């Protein structure tokens, strides 16, 4: 917020007119209203559920990648690892921070591994959908 240029009787210099003060107040009210609208939108249950579903998908993808790395053993190379930061405006609970590692295979995956990954992905997807439906009904 910018500082008002109001001067007292003994000071010399420009004074802020009532119209300028009113415009500044209106601008602050507009910014506050936008902030409240954004916070209300982020706090809507549907938006919270959508973010949690995206997180579950991300976790499922990571599990599949880790399972693939375990199955193929020494043929997987970790490419990089990084700390996942929580979404802006979210509340960080103990254990929410996590490190995600990316693996790359040195060779083509055998069909058994692909079938395992697809089955695991389907199981995670079915579990997330069932969880979301159950939460919606209650």
């Amino acid at each position: 917020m910018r500082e008002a240029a109001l001067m007292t009787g003994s000071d010399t210099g420009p004074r802020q007119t009532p119209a300028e003060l009113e415009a500044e107040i209106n601008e602050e009210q507009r910014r506050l209203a936008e902030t409240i609208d954004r916070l209300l939108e982020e706090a809507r249950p549907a938006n919270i559920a959508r973010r949690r579903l995206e997180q579950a998908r991300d976790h499922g993808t990571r599990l599949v990648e880790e399972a693939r790395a375990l199955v193929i053993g020494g043929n997987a190379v970790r490419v990089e690892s990084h700390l996942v930061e929580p979404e802006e405006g979210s509340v960080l609970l103990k254990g929410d921070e996590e490190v995600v590692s990316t693996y790359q295979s040195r060779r083509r995956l055998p069909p058994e591994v692909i079938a395992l990954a697809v089955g695991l992905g389907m199981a995670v997807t079915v579990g997330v959908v069932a969880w979301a439906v159950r939460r919606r009904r209650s």
Side-chain angles (χ1 to χ4, degrees):
M1 187 165 37
R2 71 182 182 101
E3 305 241 348
L6 289 177
M7 302 287 179
T8 61
S10 64
D11 294 333
T12 59
R15 292 184 58 137
Q16 203 169 20
T17 66
E20 291 172 333
L21 282 173
E22 185 177 354
E24 186 176 341
I25 290 170
N26 288 338
E27 177 63 20
E28 282 302 311
Q29 287 176 335
R30 183 191 62 75
R31 276 192 243 149
L32 285 172
E34 287 176 359
T35 301
I36 290 170
D37 289 344
R38 182 177 49 80
L39 290 172
L40 287 172
E41 186 66 24
E42 288 178 10
R44 286 184 53 218
N47 291 338
I48 293 170
R50 179 185 44 78
R51 286 193 303 268
R52 291 297 180 195
L53 184 59
E54 289 170 1
Q55 286 177 344
R57 283 185 192 136
D58 293 342
H59 289 298
T61 301
R62 191 183 83 231
L63 288 173
V64 168
E65 290 173 3
E66 289 176 0
R68 178 186 62 168
L70 289 173
V71 169
I72 59 178
N75 293 323
V77 178
R78 182 173 31 181
V79 178
E80 60 103 12
S81 294
H82 63 278
L83 183 66
V84 176
E85 295 292 325
E87 274 187 47
E88 184 178 330
S90 64
V91 176
L92 181 64
L93 301 174
K94 183 177 180 182
D96 275 355
E97 64 278 337
E98 61 182 282
V99 175
V100 174
S101 297
T102 305
Y103 295 91
Q104 184 175 21
S105 176
R106 291 184 185 168
R107 62 182 173 90
R108 284 187 66 137
L109 294 175
E112 299 84 19
V113 173
I114 294 172
L116 174 66
V118 169
L120 184 59
M122 288 176 50
V124 169
T125 302
V126 167
V128 168
V129 169
W131 172 79
V133 168
R134 196 167 115 211
R135 285 195 48 112
R136 181 175 277 165
R137 288 184 182 168
S138 56

